[in-house]
Amino acid sequence: MGIFDPWAGFGVTFNTMFRKTFTQGYPQKGKEKVTMPRFHGRHQLNRWPDGLEKCVGCELCAWACPADAIYVEGADNTDDQRFSPGERYGHVYQINYLRCIFCGYCIEACPTRALTMTNEFKLADDNRRDLIYTKDELLAPLISGMEQPPHPRRLGDDEQAYFLGLPETGQPDTRTPAQGAAK
């Protein structure tokens, strides 16, 4: 039995030697690679349903990053310049993809679920400066019903109404700025 173990390894090698890979003909073939749902790709800074940013500038993601790839500077919101519903927001947010190891520790550390990872995997570039993503490149796009910050809270008069109006965990937030707080 032990004498045939090398042949089993050769069989695996022989079977995979002639298999076509994803990279053959890429990108001319037009077939996009389908990633698994939990794939760790490019980061995204999420928004509340009225367009305000979820990031509160706490810097926990930067502290959790083992590669020191994240830089965050927090700033205070004012009544005239409100970027997030809380007291603070992430004024400067950068992720250096030359250092990032896509471990996901930053996602786990985020208390507001402001930072998530998308399935986007095409991050190659020929310029090192373009691989340092800024807040503008990381923010989720505005969708219907959202307003570009800075603006006042649209989903409640105060923080308690804003956050307590959220649906149960695991349910999508379907509130729109016109509806106001749910409770």
Side-chain angles (χ1 to χ4, degrees):
M1 191 76 166
I3 199 164
F4 295 109
D5 289 341
W7 295 109
F10 289 133
V12 171
T13 303
F14 187 74
N15 284 337
T16 58
M17 202 166 23
F18 301 107
R19 187 183 316 163
K20 291 192 178 213
T21 63
F22 164 68
T23 57
Q24 287 179 328
Y26 178 81
Q28 291 80 14
K29 287 217 175 178
K31 279 188 169 181
E32 290 293 323
K33 174 121 174 105
V34 178
T35 57
M36 298 303 288
R38 294 179 58 183
F39 176 78
H40 286 192
R42 187 181 70 83
H43 295 79
Q44 175 175 292
L45 286 171
N46 297 311
R47 299 176 183 267
W48 292 104
D50 61 353
L52 291 177
E53 302 165 8
K54 285 188 173 185
C55 180
V56 294
C58 67
E59 302 178 21
L60 287 175
C61 55
W63 293 342
C65 182
D68 198 25
I70 301 175
Y71 176 73
V72 181
E73 274 183 27
D76 292 332
N77 280 313
T78 63
D79 290 334
D80 297 332
Q81 294 285 315
R82 179 163 297 283
F83 291 92
S84 72
E87 295 175 6
R88 296 177 50 84
Y89 71 101
H91 177 65
V92 176
Y93 202 102
Q94 295 176 346
I95 297 181
N96 185 344
Y97 281 107
L98 296 169
R99 290 183 175 181
C100 181
I101 58 174
F102 299 94
C103 62
Y105 288 165
C106 54
I107 307 304
E108 298 298 324
C110 184
T112 61
R113 301 298 295 159
L115 189 63
T116 55
M117 293 179 112
T118 65
N119 284 349
E120 184 180 339
F121 61 91
K122 296 179 184 178
L123 297 173
D125 207 320
D126 60 356
N127 184 354
R128 295 175 66 89
R129 188 173 304 137
D130 292 339
L131 289 170
I132 299 174
Y133 280 52
T134 60
K135 180 178 171 179
D136 295 335
E137 297 165 311
L138 294 169
L139 268 173
L142 293 169
I143 57 174
S144 178
M146 291 184 176
E147 181 183 346
Q148 179 68 37
H151 62 77
R153 293 183 199 99
R154 304 279 191 234
L155 301 175
D157 297 332
D158 59 3
E159 289 181 36
Q160 185 174 7
Y162 194 93
F163 295 117
L164 288 181
L166 291 176
E168 305 265 335
T169 304
Q171 300 295 321
D173 194 350
T174 57
R175 297 180 300 164
T176 60
Q179 289 176 326
K183 290 184 180 180

